Amino acid sequence: MKKFSALSILTEGLSGNKGWKPHWQSVDPKSQYEVVIIGGGGHGLATAYYLAKNHNITNVAVLEKNWIGSGNTGRNTTIVRSNYLLNESSRLYEHSLKLWEGLSKELNYNVMFSQRGVLNLAHSLQEIRDSKRRVFANKLNKIDAEWLDSNSVKKYCKIINTSKDSRYPILGATLQRRAGTARHDAVAWGFARAASNLGVDICENCEVTGLQIEKNKIVSINTTKGNINTKKIGIVVAGHGSVLARMAGIKLPLETHTLQALVSEPIKPILDCVVMSNAVHVYVSQSDKGELVIGAGIDSTNSYQQRGNFSIISGQMGSLLELFPIFSKLKMLRTWGGIVDVSPDASPIIGETPVKGVFFNGGWGTGGFKATPGSGWVFAHTIANNFPHKLADPFSLNRFYKGKLIDEHGAAAVAH
Amino acid sequence: MLFIKCPYCGERDESEFHYGGEADISRPEEPSKLKDIEWGNYLFMKKNTKGIFSEIWSHSSGCRKWFRVDRNTVTNDIIRVYEINK
Ligand SMILES: Cc1cc2nc3c(=O)[nH]c(=O)nc-3n(C[C@H](O)[C@H](O)[C@H](O)COP(=O)(O)OP(=O)(O)OC[C@H]3O[C@@H](n4cnc5c(N)ncnc54)[C@H](O)[C@@H]3O)c2cc1C
Ligand SMILES: [Zn+2]
């Protein structure tokens, strides 16, 4: 693997950029692996990378039915933060945020992690109380968090409309300065390249079509590129979790929904932080290309279509203009959707399943991009040791039978 | 946007309806006698079908009645709309 550095860019630049090699090898699967990861999104690739890096397990394949990053990893609005209310979630997401802070260096790949700050707005007295409570809870968990009153919000984000006359006036906001955004494709590519470099096989256009279970143990998997024998698999397929679990006879509490996003035409830098509002339900940031990146909530129906309802888009445009009247003349360029796996308590499911050798990581719903490195880290640990990593332990599938839900729904503002 | 034919009022825009999710989830007769696993399955576990899925809808801005829809969750085609007990 060629190491990226200022020097390599300079020498390549001077020699016509002819020496660059593909960042990873895309190969056909072998007939046997120690561990097979199903799903080549960020979470699957990160899992494979940490299996190799932290646990020295390199006889690993990642099977992706399309191209890597073609799922939600390449479709999300890239907000990364860790200011969750509950201890279990804030610890998991903070672990991930810490990994983000060193990720470009770790992978020798610029994931363009930008800690530009995330504002979560409060529009009512109840939201002020809930937000302050979250700030206190975050501080107790040693996560940076601040409460800003409406004047300070205006100072931090100059173009926001804090007029008292708007329908849902901005009464304040929480601010996490270490939160921000990253470049989604680069996260998939960076993990793929680093994993491939450690010996992991990245197999694209390879769809898993069946799981062979004998005596409650996984023995092999069927794919569109042949059968593979293995004793351990990790299912990390986001919206397709239920489909894969059914192949192994496992029940899951997940529902698949379309989540949409859109971008505006590119404009000069105008918004240097991320703004999220739960009450009017929209969030926005500006990409490095200059486009506003805008999102909101899921479409209501169960759906495996990567395309959603226009009513969601028109609703979020109304909300956006309420917060930023200055954007009223902007044209929107593209809209798209991803299919997200929503769990009953808006928290992920990570760990063992009732079938031996089958590990599951999903239910990240609308907010798993921020968890990519942390999720891979704890999932790799769980697979390698046949035992949940301590940060993942509370997120077991069992919690739905024990009544120990991690109910982040009301707690965590818009769940992205 | 879906167009849904309410069995009572006829075809309307999706925005008049409220989605109720998976059909045929009936509350166990004697919940206190269930084991944790049975209770968890009833409360939380979902079919989440990729393909033709039976679901319930309510015409919340219309007649307010609940009814059933069979819809393809991949194509969004509505296959059948019918009264709840039929
Ligand atoms: C519009 C939108 C906005 C979002 N915004 C945010 C945000 O701002 N912040 C945030 O933290 N999160 C956000 N999310 C959520 C986030 O994108 C996901 O939680 C996260 O990317 C999930 O990563 P993943 O690797 O598990 O899934 P994916 O990237 O979806 O990867 C799963 C892969 O599995 C593959 N697969 C499926 N079935 C099979 C099979 N049978 N065989 C082989 N491969 C298979 C798929 O092709 C896919 O590539 C957003 C999501 C969407 C859709
Ligand atoms: Zn009606």
Side-chain angles (χ1 to χ4, degrees):
Chain A
M1 182 178 77
K2 186 157 187 167
K3 198 166 173 348
F4 295 131
S5 63
L7 185 68
S8 66
I9 291 172
L10 187 71
T11 44
E12 278 302 325
L14 292 174
S15 58
N17 283 310
K18 285 184 189 127
W20 299 117
K21 301 242 161 60
H23 291 186
W24 68 89
Q25 296 296 327
S26 195
V27 296
D28 284 343
K30 298 193 274 247
S31 59
Q32 190 276 331
Y33 287 98
E34 187 174 344
V35 181
V36 174
I37 301 298
I38 305 172
H43 288 225
L45 294 162
T47 305
Y49 171 70
Y50 290 118
L51 274 172
K53 174 82 195 298
N54 294 356
H55 305 282
N56 214 9
I57 300 176
T58 55
N59 185 12
V60 176
V62 178
L63 310 183
E64 165 54 49
K65 71 170 172 175
N66 296 317
W67 64 93
I68 63 162
S70 59
N72 296 339
T73 298
R75 292 166 188 268
N76 80 92
T77 47
T78 78
I79 300 171
V80 175
R81 60 187 180 88
S82 65
N83 54 352
Y84 281 67
L85 177 72
L86 303 175
N87 291 340
E88 294 85 351
S89 344
S90 59
R91 282 170 196 156
L92 181 62
Y93 289 106
E94 176 63 12
H95 174 62
S96 192
L97 181 51
K98 291 217 171 85
L99 292 172
W100 277 110
E101 290 176 325
L103 198 60
S104 292
K105 206 163 193 190
E106 166 80 17
L107 301 178
N108 178 236
Y109 208 90
N110 187 1
V111 298
M112 296 167 80
F113 181 48
S114 155
Q115 294 178 292
R116 56 184 67 183
V118 171
L119 288 174
N120 290 103
L121 304 179
H123 301 266
S124 67
L125 188 57
Q126 187 59 45
E127 271 198 299
I128 294 181
R129 290 179 183 140
D130 292 344
S131 306
K132 286 186 174 170
R133 178 181 174 217
R134 187 159 45 75
V135 166
F136 294 138
N138 290 157
K139 285 187 171 160
L140 287 174
N141 279 317
K142 303 200 170 54
I143 292 170
D144 73 302
E146 287 163 54
W147 167 254
L148 305 185
D149 62 16
S150 106
N151 287 335
S152 315
V153 171
K154 182 79 185 168
K155 259 186 225 143
Y156 189 77
C157 180
K158 305 237 166 18
I159 58 169
I160 205 165
N161 171 26
T162 49
S163 153
K164 291 197 172 56
D165 300 329
S166 60
R167 182 158 167 209
Y168 299 101
I170 295 169
L171 303 178
T174 66
L175 169 62
Q176 183 175 26
R177 290 183 196 268
R178 286 166 59 240
T181 57
R183 169 141 191 236
H184 48 20
D185 298 320
V187 175
W189 299 337
F191 272 117
R193 171 173 171 269
S196 167
N197 187 43
L198 294 174
V200 170
D201 282 353
I202 313 272
C203 312
E204 295 176 286
N205 300 309
C206 177
E207 179 171 356
V208 173
T209 53
L211 300 175
Q212 300 309 321
I213 316 286
E214 277 169 23
K215 297 195 187 122
N216 202 37
K217 274 188 206 151
I218 181 84
V219 290
S220 67
I221 53 192
N222 313 107
T223 81
T224 49
K225 291 194 171 174
N227 297 341
I228 304 172
N229 295 325
T230 183
K231 294 201 172 92
K232 279 188 187 182
I233 64 168
I235 301 175
V236 206
V237 291
H240 280 87
S242 306
V243 176
L244 268 293
R246 185 160 299 127
M247 294 177 190
I250 298 165
K251 290 198 174 88
L252 291 177
L254 300 176
E255 285 191 309
T256 298
H257 290 261
T258 309
L259 178 65
Q260 305 185 70
L262 68 161
V263 291
S264 73
E265 59 189 325
I267 49 173
K268 288 191 175 162
I270 188 163
L271 182 65
D272 63 0
C273 59
V274 181
V275 177
M276 310 177 73
S277 167
N278 206 11
V280 303
H281 219 162
V282 71
Y283 58 90
V284 59
S285 65
Q286 188 172 17
S287 75
D288 294 334
K289 275 194 281 179
E291 305 156 328
L292 295 183
V293 183
I294 305 155
I298 53 172
D299 279 53
S300 69
T301 53
N302 283 28
S303 173
Y304 285 81
Q305 231 183 10
Q306 286 172 324
R307 182 188 147 177
N309 251 326
F310 189 71
S311 57
I312 301 273
I313 292 173
S314 63
Q316 76 200 57
M317 286 298 101
S319 306
L320 182 74
L321 295 190
E322 166 99 7
L323 302 179
F324 298 99
I326 189 177
F327 293 151
S328 67
K329 298 256 162 55
L330 264 188
K331 294 190 178 65
M332 294 301 140
L333 264 196
R334 289 180 291 127
T335 80
W336 66 91
I339 53 171
V340 299
D341 43 346
V342 178
S343 73
D345 54 0
S347 291
I349 298 166
I350 316 168
E352 298 160 288
T353 69
V355 179
K356 224 173 152 224
V358 176
F359 297 83
F360 185 80
N361 184 353
W364 293 95
T366 60
F369 178 71
K370 64 175 75 63
T372 305
S375 159
W377 182 287
V378 299
F379 196 44
H381 180 105
T382 304
I383 294 174
N385 297 297
N386 296 310
F387 195 77
H389 185 282
K390 71 176 189 313
L391 292 175
D393 194 29
F395 294 92
S396 74
L397 180 56
N398 240 334
R399 75 176 184 272
F400 297 99
Y401 296 111
K402 291 186 177 156
K404 290 180 104 175
L405 303 202
I406 303 171
D407 198 357
E408 278 290 349
H409 254 309
V414 185
H416 299 284
Chain B
M1 186 73 66
L2 298 174
F3 290 104
I4 302 171
K5 196 167 174 188
C6 170
Y8 310 98
C9 313
E11 187 170 272
R12 303 292 173 86
D13 182 301
E14 183 185 340
S15 61
E16 287 192 16
F17 297 88
H18 179 82
Y19 187 59
E22 186 178 321
D24 295 323
I25 301 180
S26 40
R27 191 177 166 84
E29 301 260 309
E30 294 185 83
S32 58
K33 297 213 168 123
L34 295 189
K35 299 198 184 74
D36 287 354
I37 185 121
E38 293 163 327
W39 183 241
N41 282 341
Y42 156 67
L43 266 189
F44 296 120
M45 299 303 146
K46 299 282 165 128
K47 289 200 190 99
N48 197 20
T49 311
K50 181 176 184 180
I52 294 171
F53 184 57
S54 251
E55 57 197 16
I56 52 171
W57 286 80
S58 121
H59 192 184
S60 47
S61 308
C63 64
R64 302 196 55 78
K65 288 203 173 97
W66 286 92
F67 58 93
R68 287 178 71 132
V69 175
D70 290 351
R71 181 178 54 95
N72 187 323
T73 58
V74 182
T75 60
N76 254 336
D77 291 336
I78 291 177
I79 320 287
R80 198 151 86 101
V81 181
Y82 45 118
E83 290 171 38
I84 205 103
N85 290 324
K86 296 215 167 136

